[in-house]
Amino acid sequence: MCGIVGYVGQKKALPILLNSLKALEYRGYDSAGIAYIKDKDIHIIKKQGKIKNLEQSLSIDEDTYMGIGHTRWATHGIPNEINAHPHKVGKITLVHNGIIENYEELRQELVKDGYTFKGETDTEVVAALIDKIYQKKHDMLKTLDKVTNKLEGTYAFGIICEDYPDTIYAIRKDSPLIIGVKDKDYFIASDVPAILNYTREYYLLEQGEVAVLNNTCTFYMKGQEINKELKSFEGDSSSVSKNGYDHFMMKEMMEEPDVLHKTVHHMKEESFTFMNYQSIDIVACGSAYHTGLVGKYLIEQYADIPVNVEVASEYRYKKFFPKKNHLVIVISQSGETADTLAALKLAKENNLDTLGIVNVKESSIAREADRVIYTMAGPEIAVATTKAYLAQVTTLSLLALKTAYEKNLMKKDEYEEILHSFDVGAVKIGKLLNKDYEKQAKKIYKKNDLFYLGRGLDYALAMEGSLKLKEISYLHSEAYASGELKHGTISLVEDGTPVISVMIDDHIRSKSVSNNKEVRARGGYVIAISNTELPNDSYDDLILIPQINDFVNPIMALIPMQMISYYVAKMRGCDIDKPKNLAKSVTVE
Ligand code: G6P
């Protein structure tokens, strides 16, 4: 989703702004732009499509030492050059991440005041609003305070005012923004990877604060200067480079054994369990929602607690039934997903206990939840999540396991054996990652449709396998509960239709065997992912994965699904790390 960068300092600004924008490409975007100051004049260059289009229109060596940049993921108005940011109205130029909900009202008022608009964005309206207030107050701090009172919605803004051509202003509400610092160089960015080539030191801008960056960096709250704590990025900066792999996605899948180790180690130290809860809601979006479905199975089965899993965009608008001893878990890689954050706030307003399972440290969800457990995936750059999903599934599995033990539903020996088996799993997924999945991908990549089948836990996994395939290869795929297929959708199975059948759940495998046969009888080509041999007539291709136990098996199964998706996307010539229209961090609802 939209990415903001900004720089003011001692160095030439354009190479820095471009590099920082490239580091945010993973968030997803469809146009890009930069505004910079040269000889006190503002210059704005915007291009539709990839950052390389923007790069080609810039003279990179320009004598400019400050500017702001943006990658736009279209919300209000199509992705063209006019709607691309930065937007300039009067003396104000700005970039924006978020959505202004009352922009139509504001636009009408501003039109009455004589403002005209070139494009359709909410952002251009905010530029005009700031200009209008600034023309009266001639003071940017007072202006920004007034502006924030008038805006409804979510935002992070990087702002330049023509009267202060050496200064960048930044404000935010519900969309992330950090301020990077290195000697006399100052940066703004939506996310840490954007600044890692230059500095690891940064401030987190909080709601209501104004950052003013020029030859120094000052923060204000309601007009008063404030001190802030300087933070340091502790991760490994190699996580933002491909390290020799063709794609971040492949590099991140190859990190999965290590992520599994780290997650297990981290969870061994974690004291939180579901012991005190009688019911649980798990709320999330996309792959994180699928994590919830796997978690539901394990928590219900082993910890004996009923779990309701919902997508956050639905949960946040439904009737709410607060219950006693009820926990709401929100799961999010980015920690910034707007719907998940709203669901969390709703739970808190209803006085329910909340747990965030989050990958990005100090993200909004991590800071809002009563309790947070960090997943140990490290920065994930490819839009399609792999290692972070694995870390989420592992975290929930371990919470289910620990709760089962604490509730005396599992003996100590069994508990310890299962705990140890995660480390065995880490070695085994290393081997699974090195198997050949191109054979299966070749059978799939020219097709238009595919089905993923599974029952119970296998269905939860099939949903993620299906999402992974369609998000990066644009091949239509549908996940179906194996037993439900015959109620309509089997009519779509034709000669050669690929069907991936996930079959790791021992209790119901025989049922899935029958469903595979039904598909094969209609010409479907069945690729089975199983941890045991199957009857020969129940598959066309069998991917055998290790059989460990219910807690670790799901982690094994996701490796072939992710790998097949990767190779299908590669064979179809897709932009694997940055699939069209998708965003890594979805900060609008
Ligand atoms: C986007 C991403 C998905 C992700 C979902 C939830 O749609 O493309 O990969 O699963 O958002 O994101 P979160 O950061 O909350 O896990």
Side-chain angles (χ1 to χ4, degrees), residues 445-517:
Y445 82 104
K446 286 190 183 152
K447 304 285 180 184
N448 294 322
D449 297 287
L450 177 144
F451 288 101
Y452 251 100
L453 300 185
R455 279 171 187 263
L457 177 59
D458 291 333
Y459 181 37
L461 291 164
M463 289 173 83
E464 173 60 10
S466 178
L467 174 64
K468 203 64 29 211
L469 181 70
K470 63 191 150 197
E471 63 185 346
I472 59 169
S473 74
Y474 319 139
L475 188 154
H476 172 251
S477 162
E478 196 165 338
Y480 241 79
S482 315
E484 186 65 14
L485 192 72
K486 58 175 88 53
H487 299 288
T489 316
I490 200 163
S491 56
L492 297 174
V493 174
E494 298 172 344
D495 241 3
T497 301
V499 176
I500 300 181
S501 178
V502 186
M503 304 171 71
I504 64 161
D505 191 335
D506 294 334
H507 317 291
I508 42 175
R509 189 176 295 106
S510 60
K511 308 283 174 198
S512 298
V513 163
S514 308
N515 298 133
N516 287 1
K517 289 183 187 174

Side-chain angles (χ1 to χ4, degrees), residues 49-181:
K50 295 289 174 197
I51 292 174
K52 66 174 187 302
N53 302 346
L54 176 70
E55 191 167 7
Q56 280 158 8
S57 347
L58 288 170
S59 50
I60 194 83
D61 213 25
E62 198 76 90
D63 243 345
T64 168
Y65 298 87
M66 76 95 102
I68 51 179
H70 190 262
T71 46
R72 173 174 186 253
W73 189 85
T75 55
H76 297 70
I78 57 166
N80 61 13
E81 214 165 291
I82 294 177
N83 289 331
H85 303 203
H87 288 286
K88 179 175 187 303
V89 179
K91 287 179 184 284
I92 302 297
T93 302
L94 86 176
V95 288
H96 171 210
N97 172 17
I99 285 190
I100 302 303
E101 281 158 8
N102 59 336
Y103 84 105
E104 201 44 67
E105 270 162 70
L106 293 170
R107 179 201 283 263
Q108 283 165 20
E109 275 175 34
L110 288 159
V111 167
K112 282 189 205 143
D113 292 329
Y115 282 94
T116 55
F117 296 96
K118 299 188 194 106
E120 300 137 279
T121 66
D122 50 343
T123 309
E124 197 182 356
V125 172
V126 179
L129 179 68
I130 301 180
D131 182 68
K132 178 182 151 187
I133 299 175
Y134 177 75
Q135 300 288 356
K136 286 189 194 139
K137 297 202 177 284
H138 298 287
D139 178 316
M140 276 302 278
L141 284 183
K142 287 188 184 143
T143 299
L144 294 178
D145 261 355
K146 177 109 197 240
V147 165
T148 47
N149 291 333
K150 287 191 167 275
L151 297 180
E152 285 164 26
T154 60
Y155 53 82
F157 291 115
I159 308 162
I160 299 174
C161 172
E162 230 170 56
D163 289 347
Y164 306 95
D166 56 350
T167 303
I168 296 174
Y169 299 88
I171 52 172
R172 70 172 276 260
K173 177 177 164 257
D174 290 339
S175 294
L177 203 66
I178 57 160
I179 312 295
V181 184

Side-chain angles (χ1 to χ4, degrees), residues 284-289 331-338 340 365 380 382-385 392 464 467-468 471 582-586:
C285 300
S287 297
Y289 165 71
I331 308 176
S332 176
Q333 187 287 125
S334 63
E336 300 294 346
T337 302
T340 313
I365 293 175
E380 190 177 61
V383 165
T385 178
Q392 290 168 350
E464 173 60 10
L467 174 64
K468 203 64 29 211
E471 63 185 346
L582 297 186
K584 181 81 182 158
S585 179
V586 181

Side-chain angles (χ1 to χ4, degrees), residues 548-565:
I548 301 183
N549 54 50
D550 277 1
F551 292 88
V552 186
N553 288 345
I555 300 163
M556 300 290 124
L558 59 91
I559 303 295
M561 300 193 302
Q562 294 175 348
M563 279 289 189
I564 290 173
S565 305

Side-chain angles (χ1 to χ4, degrees), residues 334-350:
S334 63
E336 300 294 346
T337 302
D339 284 318
T340 313
L341 183 59
L344 170 63
K345 286 182 174 165
L346 181 72
K348 287 183 72 181
E349 280 160 21
N350 282 278

